[in-house]
Amino acid sequence: GDNFYDQQGAASSAWFAALTTETKSKVINSVPGNHDYWVNGSPLLRVSKDSLGNGFMQFYGQDVIASTQLDTPYDFSINPDESSSRSGSITAASNFFSYNKLGNIAFIGYSGAYDFTELSSYFVEACEWADSNEDIDVILLLGHWNSDGDGCPSDATVPITYQQLQSLSSCSSSISKMRYFMGHEHCNMITEPDIGFMVGAQGMSDTKCSGQFGIPVVDSTNGTFNVYYFPINELNSFDNYDETLACFQEKGVSGCYDLATLWSTTPLV
């Protein structure tokens, strides 16, 4: 979420225009952040051009729950122009909940702009699906908010959602396989050893972090789950871009793990 603070469209247009068709053809899992509902980042700062999620759900289109409930890929039943409330009428939660798998890793993506009670039936479905796939060794929970506020209820942050999934009987057998990634705060760091990780900086400074930019890589081969973090650049500190790119081009990502920091390594269960 919050991939671009781009109210005019120039930055995102330039970014995607620079990507090759081969790159754009790769699988992408994406979840919205507060700036993807309200351009100023909060329902308290709502302006008339806020998309309230309608733009994000189509631009970063996912195979979402809504598509299994309707004859259309998304639920357009909520008119964003009809609400007179300060926060506006955000689009349906089903437009942002998805689950899928690549190899032995499953991904569950959701938006924290909704109460957990509204999302719980979707999580039950996702956990039951994961249980039915014996080749899934790791489940990555993907969300944006690391803390409540800015449109996120207190029960829908990623760490709290992870905790609440432990109380759902349908998810009890999946929890041991689950880790989570989140953003919102502009830092790249471990937040819960071997379980939770934050990748929210990507060049943006925060009170705790100074303009970090880096690439996390997960590797679930050879019976272990590893999270490698490649530190690419940090404001007024270091610049590893040229060295890292040259290594990737010559050896591939897995041949360059010596340039990365090992955030986590755990055996697959």
Side-chain angles (χ1 to χ4, degrees), residues 64-137:
V64 294
I65 286 281
S67 67
T68 68
Q69 301 170 335
L70 305 165
D71 295 328
T72 55
Y74 308 106
D75 182 349
F76 289 99
S77 63
I78 299 175
N79 186 339
D81 295 323
E82 287 185 348
S83 173
S84 59
S85 72
R86 183 67 183 271
S87 61
S89 295
I90 62 176
T91 190
S94 59
N95 289 320
F96 301 111
F97 196 99
S98 63
Y99 56 86
N100 52 67
K101 75 182 182 75
L102 288 173
N104 63 345
I105 299 182
F107 300 86
I108 300 177
Y110 81 103
S111 169
Y114 310 88
D115 292 320
F116 181 80
T117 52
E118 186 173 355
L119 303 170
S120 60
S121 62
Y122 303 154
F123 279 116
V124 167
E125 180 179 327
C127 287
E128 291 178 347
W129 164 80
D131 281 348
S132 68
N133 285 265
E134 296 181 357
D135 55 345
I136 292 176
D137 295 317

